[in-house]
Amino acid sequence: MVSPDVFPSKPRIARGGGALLSCAGGLCGGFLSKAHLLFLALAALLVTAPFAAYGQDVPGGGGPGLFGEAVDEGLVPATPQTREDSFGFAWDITNAGTVTNSSRECFESAAQLSINGAPFTFHSMLATSDGKEYVVMGNAGNFRIMRRIRLDEDLGLVRYYDVIESKDRNDFKVNVTLQTRFTQRWDKIVTSNGTELTGKTLDRGETGFAVLSRTNRSAALWLISGPRRRSRPEIALTNGNQVEVKFSVPLRAGGRAAILHYVGQRKRLKQEDVKAQFATWQPRGSLPGIDVLAMGLRRVVTNFPPSALGATAMAPVGPLLTRLEALFNENWQLERGPEDTVVLNAETRLTGKLTGTARGELTTNWGKVSFGLDDVAGIVGGGGVGKMQTVFFRDGEVLTGRMTLRDLKLTLAGGGAGTGGATPAAPWTLDVNPDQVLAILCRKDAALEGKPMQGVAAFAELATQDCLGIVDPAAALELNCAWGPLKVQLADIETLGAVREPQFGFRLVLRDKTSLLVFPTSGDVELKTARLGALKIAPQMLLKLSSFQQSAAADPNEGDEGSAEAGQPGAPGGDAPRPTIQLIGENVIVGNLAAENLELGTISGPRVLPTAQIVLMERPGEDSGLAAAGAQVFAVQMKDGSKWTGRLKESVIALRFGSRDAATGQGGSVLSVPVEHFLSFQVPEPPSASGGGDSAEPLPPGVGASLRAPSDIRPGPGRGDHPGMDELPTNPGPSDTGP
C-alpha cells in the first residue's frame, strides 16, 4: 500500500532521470504500462487523509516531523481554559504551558520551564480531539520543546510531559528547571515518605515532595522521580514563596529526552498524611494516567523507570539502529515494521516485501564493501540525481559511497488494484532501482539485527557520516591530557567524543565514569574495523567512539534492589564503587590517591593521614573564611569521624585510575596533578547487605558535607610549608585535635 506523507497534495508520479520502478516482466523501455500507472495513481490518492498537526508545518512549531511519534492524533487548535478538579481546585492552563490557580489559594504559576537558563517561548497551542490534553510547541534557546499537559480531574493531578530535542552533533547534559511561585510564604518541604527535606535532593525511595504552610492552607505536591533513580533532581525553596526543581538531563546527539512530572493541590494537608497521599497516586508502582501517553513518547522519559511507564511495551528500540529510526521518523515520519517501504518521492511510498539475490557493492572513502540484502536495515540517497547512498546495516555499521545493487524487486502489500467488487489482481511485483528513489526502509527482523558483527567492541562515528565497527578491544589509544600522556585500552572506553571549544579535543569517558578532556597525539588514530580492516583516521575526522555492550539497552539511570551500586562510578561489571576525584575543567577521575600518606599542617601541628582512611577531602566552603587561604588548604574527614583542616604539604598529588589487576589492585594509569588543580576526593557510602541503598555501618554525620571553620579565622601565609599553620585552626569541637 501507499503510505501518506505529512504534506497532502495532488498525487504525482515522478518522471525524468530514468524509471523509478518498472513492472517485473520487462516492459519495453523500462517505462510503466498504462495499467500500472493507473494503479499507482489510484494508490497515491490514498494520501488525501491528512496527518495531524505534528506531522504538518505548524506555524512556529519548528517545521515538519517534530516529534513524529505524535502524528495521526487529530490535534486541533486550542485556547487556554479554566478546568476544575474533583477537589474543587481551579486550574488555568496558559498558552505557555504553565498552570495558574484562578482562586489564588495556592500558587500564582506552576511549572515554568527553562533550559540552560533560557526560558520556554511558546509558538503554538493545540489539543487532542477530546480536549483533555493540551500540546504546546515552542523553543528554549537552541532547543525545540513540546509540552503535553493533561488534568486528571478525579485525582486532582496535572501531568506534564516536557520533551527536548537537540540538533547538536555531540552528546551532552542540559539543565532543565521548573519554577513555581506561590501566593504566600511556606513553612517546609516534606518528601513522599513523610519526612522533612533537609538536603537538596530526594533520598532513595522518595518520588516527590509537598510544600506545606504554617496556616494549614492548601498544600502543593509534586511527583518528579522514580524511587531509585541515580540522577536525582535538586529542590530549592527560595524567599519562602518559590520552589525550583532542577534536572540534569542527558541528551544524545540529535536526539530527544523527556521529563515527566505531576503537580497537585490538597486542602489542609498535614505532614503525617503526605506519605499516604503519594501512595494513592502509584498504588501498584505505575504512574497515573500513563496509558494515554503514546508509547513512542514514553521511550525517551529519563526521570522514571520503564516499569513505571508500562514495562511490557517498553522494550528498547536497540542502540544499534537508533540513528536510522530517528532519520526516517524525522524526514518521512516512518517507523519500521514487518514490511519494507520504498520512498519514491516527497508524496509517495510503496510498502511490501523486498527481495534480491544479487550481492551489492559499496565503494566508500575507506575501500569497497560487499553485502547482501538481508544485511541492510535502510538506504538513503540516490533520488535520481546521483546522490551518494548511505547504507545502514542491521549490525549497526553505517557506510556512505557509490552503491551498486541490482535485481531488487518489491512485491506490493495487498496485491493489485481490484475495484468495484472485482477480485483483486495478483500481487504486483516491481523492479526497484535504488539510484532513482529517495530511500528504502527495510522491515524489522529480530533474527538478523540487534547485535554487531563478531568481535566488535565499539563503534566509531566519522565526519563522513560513516559508523564503523571496531574490533580488538585490547588495542590501546594514545592520548594526552593536561597532566600527561594516557594509554587507554579500547575495552575501558565508554565514549570518546569530539569537542570544539575552547579548542579541538575529545571528552573521554571510561566505563568507570572517569571523564577527562584529552587531545590526540600527533598523527592518525589507528583502528581495526570489522568490514574494512585496519584504518588510519585523522583525529579531526573522528566524531565519536562508543563502546558496545550487550547490556547497553538497560536503563543506565535505574538502580536495582539487588545491586544498589550497579553502574555507579567505578563499578563496571559489578565491582565495588570507587572514590571520585574532582579536578578543574569539569574533569573527574574515578580512582584513588596513589600515595600511601598525605601530610597536613593543622593548628595542632603536622598530621600524617593514611590515604586509605580518608573518606572526604575538599576545599573549605566560601563561608568558612578559608576560601582565600590558598590552593593547598583542605578540609579532610577520616573513616573514624575525625575532621582536620590545614595546609597540604605536597604540591603535587598522584592519582591512580583505570583497569587494575584484580589480585594486586595495581596497574592502570597514574597522573600527577598540581594541588592547584585538585578540588575534592570522596569515598562513596558502601551499599547495605540488603541492597537497599543504606549503609550497613553508617558513616559519621557530615560525610559528604562541606567542612567549615569559623568565619573569623585568618588564613596562614605559607604555601606548601607548615609555618603559619598556627593561624589556621580546624573546626572547633572534639575533632580539632584528632583521636
Side-chain angles (χ1 to χ4, degrees):
M1 63 177 291
V2 178
S3 300
D5 192 75
V6 295
F7 297 116
S9 60
K10 293 182 179 180
R12 181 179 61 182
I13 303 298
R15 294 182 175 87
L20 294 175
L21 302 165
S22 64
C23 289
L27 293 173
C28 68
F31 292 99
L32 303 178
S33 68
K34 291 183 179 179
H36 191 202
L37 283 172
L38 176 62
F39 163 70
L40 286 181
L42 289 171
L45 287 174
L46 296 177
V47 306
T48 56
F51 265 39
Y54 269 114
Q56 300 172 12
D57 193 6
V58 179
L66 180 61
F67 312 121
E69 298 87 347
V71 300
D72 207 16
E73 286 187 274
L75 297 177
V76 297
T79 55
Q81 296 182 16
T82 299
R83 304 288 180 86
E84 186 172 306
D85 63 28
S86 61
F87 296 88
F89 287 102
W91 299 85
D92 293 329
I93 312 283
T94 72
N95 53 18
T98 58
V99 174
T100 63
N101 184 341
S102 59
S103 65
R104 295 180 62 83
E105 185 176 355
C106 187
F107 45 68
E108 288 186 1
S109 64
Q112 290 180 312
L113 174 68
S114 62
I115 309 294
N116 290 342
F120 171 71
T121 302
F122 117 95
H123 291 152
S124 58
M125 188 176 196
L126 305 166
T128 52
S129 57
D130 59 9
K132 292 185 177 180
E133 184 165 324
Y134 289 112
V135 182
V136 181
M137 307 286 286
N139 295 82
N142 294 324
F143 300 97
R144 296 200 290 182
I145 308 294
M146 177 174 72
R147 309 195 78 183
R148 302 182 69 104
I149 307 109
R150 188 182 187 96
L151 171 64
D152 188 317
E153 291 91 346
D154 295 334
L155 291 178
L157 198 61
V158 173
R159 186 214 71 205
Y160 272 87
Y161 174 89
D162 293 330
V163 63
I164 310 156
E165 183 181 63
S166 167
K167 291 298 182 183
D168 201 278
R169 298 183 68 92
N170 294 307
D171 297 351
F172 55 91
K173 288 189 176 182
V174 296
N175 296 316
V176 180
T177 302
L178 300 169
Q179 185 183 84
T180 297
R181 292 198 305 271
F182 302 101
T183 60
Q184 59 180 314
R185 295 183 65 83
W186 295 81
D187 182 24
K188 56 187 173 183
I189 294 179
V190 177
T191 74
S192 58
N193 283 345
T195 58
E196 189 169 349
L197 181 71
T198 56
K200 292 183 177 180
T201 62
L202 300 175
D203 288 335
R204 187 177 176 85
E206 296 172 340
T207 60
F209 65 95
V211 181
L212 308 181
S213 71
R214 294 185 179 92
T215 60
N216 280 335
R217 294 184 65 183
S218 299
L221 304 95
W222 283 265
L223 181 61
I224 59 173
S225 178
R228 303 195 307 274
R229 306 303 282 176
R230 292 198 176 91
S231 178
R232 310 194 70 79
E234 292 187 1
I235 305 164
L237 177 62
T238 59
N239 301 322
N241 68 343
Q242 181 171 292
V243 164
E244 283 190 350
V245 181
K246 296 181 179 180
F247 298 84
S248 179
V249 179
L251 195 56
R252 289 190 173 275
R256 301 171 186 133
I259 294 293
L260 191 65
H261 53 103
Y262 298 78
V263 59
Q265 302 176 80
R266 291 296 182 270
K267 295 179 180 178
R268 293 179 291 279
L269 186 69
K270 298 180 180 180
Q271 181 172 345
E272 55 266 27
D273 300 326
V274 171
K275 184 175 182 179
Q277 179 60 64
F278 275 91
T280 64
W281 288 341
Q282 292 183 274
R284 290 176 297 276
S286 62
L287 290 167
I290 193 63
D291 56 314
V292 300
L293 190 65
M295 188 56 62
L297 300 175
R298 299 185 223 174
R299 290 193 184 107
V300 294
V301 171
T302 62
N303 58 321
F304 284 97
S307 58
L309 300 166
T312 56
M314 281 300 296
V317 174
L320 295 180
L321 298 174
T322 300
R323 177 178 162 191
L324 166 74
E325 299 191 349
L327 177 67
F328 275 83
N329 194 309
E330 176 71 19
N331 289 282
W332 299 289
Q333 293 71 54
L334 287 174
E335 292 189 0
R336 298 178 70 216
E339 296 178 316
D340 304 303
T341 300
V342 177
V343 182
L344 299 183
N345 50 51
E347 289 84 20
T348 310
R349 300 91 181 269
L350 298 176
T351 301
K353 183 178 180 180
L354 280 171
T355 56
T357 57
R359 292 188 65 81
E361 185 175 86
L362 188 68
T363 303
T364 75
N365 291 320
W366 318 101
K368 290 186 178 181
V369 170
S370 175
F371 61 90
L373 182 60
D374 284 344
D375 299 329
V376 177
I379 301 171
V380 176
V385 292
K387 287 184 180 178
M388 287 198 299
Q389 282 127 323
T390 299
V391 180
F392 294 81
F393 292 95
R394 294 183 186 271
D395 56 34
E397 286 204 322
V398 182
L399 291 172
T400 298
R402 298 292 178 186
M403 186 185 73
T404 302
L405 181 59
R406 298 184 176 89
D407 191 31
L408 192 60
K409 301 180 185 298
L410 177 71
T411 301
L412 296 179
T419 59
T423 302
W428 286 91
T429 299
L430 312 174
D431 291 329
V432 178
N433 183 351
D435 294 334
Q436 301 298 324
V437 301
L438 291 183
I440 296 173
L441 183 62
C442 297
R443 63 190 178 276
K444 280 187 176 180
D445 192 328
L448 298 176
E449 60 193 49
K451 52 185 179 294
M453 292 183 69
Q454 183 69 32
V456 168
F459 287 93
E461 299 177 34
L462 308 180
T464 55
Q465 301 187 24
D466 300 311
C467 181
L468 307 178
I470 308 302
V471 296
D472 191 12
L477 296 181
E478 295 185 359
L479 303 165
N480 291 312
C481 72
W483 303 286
L486 294 172
K487 194 171 185 178
V488 185
Q489 283 192 342
L490 190 63
D492 291 335
I493 295 176
E494 183 171 289
T495 59
L496 181 70
V499 294
R500 304 290 173 181
E501 299 293 340
Q503 58 182 316
F504 175 76
F506 293 92
R507 173 61 63 175
L508 170 68
V509 180
L510 301 182
R511 289 186 60 202
D512 64 6
K513 306 308 176 186
T514 290
S515 176
L516 293 169
L517 181 64
V518 298
F519 306 92
T521 57
S522 58
D524 296 335
V525 178
E526 296 189 16
L527 296 172
K528 186 177 180 181
T529 67
R531 276 190 169 86
L532 294 160
L535 298 177
K536 292 185 177 181
I537 300 172
Q540 292 79 2
M541 296 293 293
L542 181 61
L543 297 180
K544 188 176 181 182
L545 185 69
S546 306
S547 68
F548 177 83
Q549 303 161 25
Q550 292 294 338
S551 60
D555 188 345
N557 296 309
E558 181 64 10
D560 187 328
E561 292 290 358
S563 178
E565 300 299 333
Q568 288 270 4
D575 295 339
R578 298 206 294 269
T580 300
I581 302 162
Q582 299 280 346
L583 305 177
I584 63 172
E586 299 184 358
N587 291 287
V588 178
I589 287 179
V590 177
N592 284 287
L593 303 171
E596 186 175 348
N597 299 300
L598 292 177
E599 189 171 338
L600 195 72
T602 72
I603 189 172
S604 57
R607 290 280 173 177
V608 177
L609 305 177
T611 56
Q613 299 300 311
I614 296 175
V615 296
L616 179 66
M617 178 176 167
E618 64 180 356
R619 299 185 185 280
E622 292 184 1
D623 57 349
S624 67
L626 301 177
Q632 289 179 266
V633 176
F634 287 91
V636 181
Q637 182 162 328
M638 310 298 288
K639 284 184 178 179
D640 61 9
S642 60
K643 303 175 184 178
W644 307 95
T645 301
R647 181 168 283 112
L648 199 65
K649 180 180 180 180
E650 290 81 2
S651 60
V652 174
I653 301 176
L655 309 175
R656 184 184 300 277
F657 66 101
S659 296
R660 296 174 295 174
D661 183 87
T664 65
Q666 299 300 308
S669 300
V670 176
L671 291 178
S672 295
V673 177
V675 70
E676 293 90 344
H677 299 173
F678 184 94
L679 299 179
S680 68
F681 167 87
Q682 185 171 1
V683 177
E685 296 184 16
S688 66
S690 64
D694 297 323
S695 175
E697 296 182 5
L699 295 174
V703 172
S706 295
L707 307 177
R708 299 184 178 90
S711 59
D712 59 349
I713 295 174
R714 292 173 296 149
R719 183 187 183 281
D721 303 311
H722 295 312
M725 293 318 298
D726 57 332
E727 301 180 52
L728 189 62
T730 185
N731 290 352
S735 296
D736 288 349
T737 57

